[in-house]
Amino acid sequence: MVVKIEQIKEAGLTLDEPIAPGLLKEALEGQGSGAETGFQATAPSTLHATLRKVSGGVLLNGNFTVHVGAPCKRCLTDVKLDLPVSFTINLVPESLARGDDFKDDDEKVMEKKERTQGESGGTFELDGTDEQVFDGKTIDLDPIVREQVLLALPMSAVCREDCQGLCSQCGQNLNEKKCGCEPKVVDPRLSPLKNIKLN
């Protein structure tokens, strides 16, 4: 999804665009980063975004829900999650970002104050947003969506908080029924460790 800067009129630009299944698959399989997440997309997602020109850059507000599935980390049953994603990013043209390299700290502070004065909606200030650099002509939303998908993912999925997992001896799913396996016999030399209380 690429937006040309001339498409953003005075009133802003509103987008409701489907997120390409290939983009979700690429993000979840870790293509490019080499780190597979263990999650798969289970349903299509739609990006709802508004872009508004502010102080030489573009303010991007976006939200979508990513629908993913993964095996439960305790019992391995399939888990489906609907993860809401919401973000605000201040996109700064390269020309403005490069100009900062040649300014001293006082000039940067004054310029930032000038940019945020009159450019806030109610109590919202640009200081509170993430900043990203773009080429000044086009905004590629795909890398932004990919990053937001990865930030929304939990470390692991569980089917429920009180999931009892699998029996370590026979592999029975203990959520479905007790297996009757004898508890593992503890080495008598380690039995004093059972008395240790952890806070």
Side-chain angles (χ1 to χ4, degrees):
M1 288 180 275
V2 175
V3 175
K4 293 179 180 173
I5 201 75
E6 59 262 23
Q7 291 176 271
I8 307 171
K9 305 299 182 197
E10 194 65 36
L13 175 67
T14 301
L15 297 173
D16 289 303
E17 292 287 325
I19 298 171
L23 174 65
L24 289 175
K25 185 175 184 215
E26 182 183 303
L28 296 170
E29 290 180 357
Q31 293 173 9
S33 68
E36 191 169 337
T37 64
F39 290 89
Q40 297 89 34
T42 59
S45 298
T46 301
L47 172 66
H48 308 286
T50 57
L51 296 98
R52 194 165 51 98
K53 290 181 182 175
V54 288
S55 57
V58 175
L59 186 66
L60 166 63
N61 287 301
N63 65 76
F64 59 93
T65 300
V66 62
H67 309 280
V68 294
C72 172
K73 74 170 184 177
R74 297 180 194 160
C75 69
L76 303 179
T77 58
D78 287 336
V79 179
K80 290 189 177 179
L81 301 171
D82 298 324
L83 306 171
V85 178
S86 184
F87 59 94
T88 300
I89 298 173
N90 187 22
L91 298 158
V92 180
E94 281 176 354
S95 56
L96 286 179
R98 269 200 312 268
D100 277 356
D101 295 342
F102 303 104
K103 295 175 184 166
D104 63 25
D105 290 337
D106 289 338
E107 283 180 299
K108 288 179 189 176
V109 169
M110 287 303 293
E111 189 174 276
K112 199 158 200 176
K113 279 184 181 175
E114 287 168 11
R115 285 202 336 222
T116 55
Q117 285 173 352
E119 293 293 354
S120 59
T123 58
F124 179 80
E125 290 189 3
L126 293 178
D127 281 347
T129 64
D130 288 333
E131 270 192 6
Q132 285 191 19
V133 176
F134 76 108
D135 66 9
K137 295 176 184 172
T138 58
I139 299 166
D140 188 357
L141 297 174
D142 286 357
I144 295 169
V145 169
R146 187 181 302 116
E147 178 183 49
Q148 295 301 322
V149 166
L150 293 174
L151 289 172
L153 294 177
M155 291 296 285
S156 55
V158 288
C159 59
R160 60 184 204 231
E161 284 303 314
D162 62 344
C163 175
Q164 298 189 29
L166 303 175
C167 172
S168 60
Q169 294 174 57
C170 71
Q172 169 65 43
N173 185 338
L174 298 175
N175 296 315
E176 295 170 359
K177 66 176 185 175
K178 298 290 179 201
C179 60
C181 291
E182 288 292 319
K184 264 191 174 172
V185 179
V186 177
D187 186 326
R189 293 170 293 177
L190 299 176
S191 60
L193 295 176
K194 286 195 290 185
N195 300 326
I196 294 175
K197 292 184 179 171
L198 300 173
N199 292 336

